[in-house]
Amino acid sequence: MSATLAPETRDALDRLDIGARPLAIVDVDEVVLRFVPHLEAFIGRQGYRLEVASFGITGNVTRLGSCRAVPAPEVAALIAGFFAAHVGDQDPVDGAVAALTRLSARLDVVLLSNVPAEHGPRRAARLADLGLPHPLVVNDGPKGPAVAHLARRVAAPIFFVDDGPQNLASVRDAGVEARLVHFVDDPRYFRLAPDVAGTWLKTRDWHEVAARIEAEIGRG
C-alpha cells in the first residue's frame, strides 16, 4: 500500500517518532476542527446555500434563489476558497482538545488531514494554538495507504478516527488491525452518515471516544 502514497506524505510519516505506545490516527475537519458550519457561513457570503439532504458537500450546494445543485467543480472551488480564507481560524469540536490531551498521556496521536498541502503549516499552527501540538501529516486521497504504512511500525493497538465513510473503508480494506471510529461532529451529517462495516464505534461525543479507547488500552 505504501507505493500509492505521495512521496512527501511517506516521508512525513517516516519522520514520526512512534512505535512504543498505542497509536491514534485522527482526522481534522469535522473531527477535531469544525468544518461544516464554517463552510456553510462562508459559502453563504458568496451567494450559495448548503442544503443537507445527503452525506457529502457536493450535491448539496445550491445558489441562493435556486434549488438546483451546482456542479462538483464549482463546489470544489468554494471549498478551496474556504480553506484559503479560514484554515487558520476554525473552531475546535466540543471536547476534542480535552480528549486528545487526556489520551496523549497513554498513546501517540497523529493528525492525518486531507487539507490542501499548501495550507498544512497554517493548519498545524492553528492546532498548536488550540493546545494540540501533535504531528500533522497532510494526505491526499483515501487514507488506507497512510495508515497501513504507519501500522508496520506499531505493534500496539491502533485507533483510526475519521468522518469519511470512504476513509474508514479504505483503512479496513488495507488490512490494518485498527479500531475504526466514525466521528461526525455536525448533527445533520451524523444522522445521514452511512454505516461502515467493521466500525468499532460511531459517535459525535469525544468523551465517549476517549473512554472507549482508554478501556481498550486497559484490556491490553
Side-chain angles (χ1 to χ4, degrees):
M1 299 295 282
S2 60
T4 65
L5 284 171
E8 55 271 24
T9 300
R10 184 175 59 250
D11 291 346
L13 295 171
D14 287 341
R15 289 194 297 269
L16 295 174
D17 182 15
I18 60 170
R21 302 200 297 169
L23 175 65
I25 304 168
V26 184
D27 184 27
V28 177
D29 289 304
E30 273 306 291
V31 177
V32 175
L33 297 180
R34 295 193 187 280
F35 172 71
V36 170
H38 290 317
L39 176 68
E40 193 169 14
F42 174 79
I43 68 173
R45 295 191 293 271
Q46 316 302 312
Y48 295 83
R49 178 177 59 241
L50 180 66
E51 299 280 0
V52 185
S54 60
F55 191 85
I57 303 299
T58 301
N60 288 318
V61 176
T62 63
R63 289 185 177 275
L64 294 177
S66 171
C67 60
R68 179 176 297 180
V70 302
E74 197 168 344
V75 175
L78 287 169
I79 294 173
F82 165 76
F83 280 128
H86 294 294
V87 75
D89 56 26
Q90 289 170 258
D91 293 328
V93 168
D94 288 347
V97 175
L100 288 174
T101 300
R102 169 177 155 188
L103 287 171
S104 65
R106 303 187 65 182
L107 50 69
D108 292 322
V109 176
V110 173
L111 301 171
L112 184 65
S113 175
N114 278 8
V115 70
E118 63 267 27
H119 302 314
R122 289 172 61 209
R123 165 147 290 177
R126 174 58 175 165
L127 291 164
D129 286 345
L130 292 171
L132 295 169
H134 314 292
L136 172 72
V137 176
V138 173
N139 183 70
D140 183 21
K143 295 182 179 177
V147 175
H149 191 78
L150 285 178
R152 298 183 307 174
R153 299 165 53 194
V154 180
I158 296 174
F159 303 90
F160 177 72
V161 188
D162 203 287
D163 69 311
Q166 73 283 3
N167 287 321
L168 294 160
S170 174
V171 171
R172 178 199 65 205
D173 295 344
V176 180
E177 290 290 333
R179 279 70 164 176
L180 304 178
V181 179
H182 195 175
F183 190 104
V184 186
D185 179 57
D186 188 272
R188 298 164 296 175
Y189 277 101
F190 182 77
R191 288 192 294 269
L192 292 167
D195 293 333
V196 178
T199 295
W200 181 67
L201 173 63
K202 185 175 183 180
T203 185
R204 52 185 301 269
D205 181 346
W206 262 109
H207 179 78
E208 183 179 14
V209 174
R212 284 285 300 273
I213 289 176
E214 287 174 333
E216 186 72 6
I217 294 172
R219 278 194 288 271

